[in-house]
Amino acid sequence: MKRYFALVLIAIVTVISLGSVRPFQMQDYLKDFILDKTPYEISGTVKEIVVGPRGSGYVILTTEATEVKLPGMLLNLSTLKVGTKIDIKGTRYIVLVPTSLETDGYKLMFRRNVPQGVETVAVNATIKSIEITKTAVNIVIVDESKKEYRLPAAVVPFWKNLKEGMKVTLNGVKRTVEVKESITVDGKTYKLEPRAYLIQRFALAKQHAPRLMMMRKIFRR
C-alpha cells in the first residue's frame, strides 16, 4: 500500500512543483484520474503498538481476515493499548497514475521506469479543449467512454502545439488508494478530512525524501 500511494504522490508532486499548484488543490487534480471508487470498512483490535524515539510509529490491527498496519498520524499512540477496538471507514479509489503521453510525434515521459507486476493501462483519447484562465492552463482530454482527464499545461512542454481534436494516448498504471474518512476508537468517532490526510501524507513524504534518496544511492553501489 505504501508503494501504491508513493506512485500517486509522484503524480501529485509533479503537478505541484511544475504547475505551481497550491497544496490544498492536490485533490482537485487527483480526482480527474479516479477510475472507480467504493466505500470500505475495517474493524479490529490493536495487536501491537510500535513507537519511535520521537513518538511517531504505527499500530498493527488484527481483523477477522488479516492484519492491517495503521500509520500513527491517525491515532494518539500514547492513549492506545493492546486490545483496543478500532473501526475505520473510508473510500477505496482506483486511480490511473500517468506514465506517458503520446500525440502527433510527441512523447512526454512522466515516469521512465515502470515497476514490474503492476497493471498498465493505455487510454485512447482526444483533446477536447485547452482551458486558459487567469491563473492556469489545463489540457482537457476525453476518452472513448466520455471520461475527462485534465493535465496542467505546465507539465507538457509542447502544449502550445496541441489543438482540439488531436488524438492522444495516455499511458499509466492502475493503483488502489484507500482514503480513511473516520476512525472510531472504543466507541468514540473522529472525522478525518480526506484533503488534510493527503496533504499530511505529502508533507511526510517530502520530509523523508532526502533520506530515502541517500539510502537508495547506498544500496545501488
Side-chain angles (χ1 to χ4, degrees), residues 77-133:
L77 298 180
S78 62
T79 63
L80 291 181
K81 59 183 179 181
V82 174
T84 299
K85 188 176 186 303
I86 294 179
D87 300 297
I88 295 172
K89 293 183 179 181
T91 302
R92 183 177 290 113
Y93 296 91
I94 305 298
V95 182
L96 171 65
V97 181
T99 55
S100 67
L101 176 72
E102 301 177 52
T103 181
D104 198 24
Y106 293 99
K107 185 171 184 178
L108 174 63
M109 300 295 296
F110 294 108
R111 182 183 176 91
R112 294 186 180 277
N113 299 317
V114 178
Q116 295 182 350
V118 298
E119 183 179 357
T120 58
V121 181
V123 177
N124 295 317
T126 304
I127 296 179
K128 179 181 178 180
S129 63
I130 298 178
E131 299 177 341
I132 301 177
T133 67

Side-chain angles (χ1 to χ4, degrees), residues 16-27:
I16 292 174
S17 60
L18 299 182
S20 299
V21 180
R22 291 171 292 176
F24 61 79
Q25 292 176 312
M26 287 191 295
Q27 199 178 37

Side-chain angles (χ1 to χ4, degrees), residues 32-35 95-103 106-110 120-126 139-143 147-151 155-156 167-173:
D32 291 320
F33 293 88
I34 294 173
L35 304 179
V95 182
L96 171 65
V97 181
T99 55
S100 67
L101 176 72
E102 301 177 52
T103 181
Y106 293 99
K107 185 171 184 178
L108 174 63
M109 300 295 296
F110 294 108
T120 58
V121 181
V123 177
N124 295 317
T126 304
I139 301 167
V140 183
I141 63 176
V142 58
D143 65 16
K147 176 175 174 54
E148 292 185 0
Y149 305 82
R150 278 176 171 77
L151 283 173
V155 302
V156 184
K167 300 295 183 181
V168 300
T169 300
L170 182 65
N171 299 300
V173 296

Side-chain angles (χ1 to χ4, degrees), residues 1 18 36 52 58 62 64-65 68 96 105 118 124 133 136 147 162 165 172 189 197 209 216 218:
M1 188 58 214
L18 299 182
D36 189 27
Y58 59 89
T62 300
E64 293 183 357
V68 178
L96 171 65
V118 298
N124 295 317
T133 67
K147 176 175 174 54
L162 302 180
T189 300
Y197 175 72
R216 187 174 297 177
I218 292 174

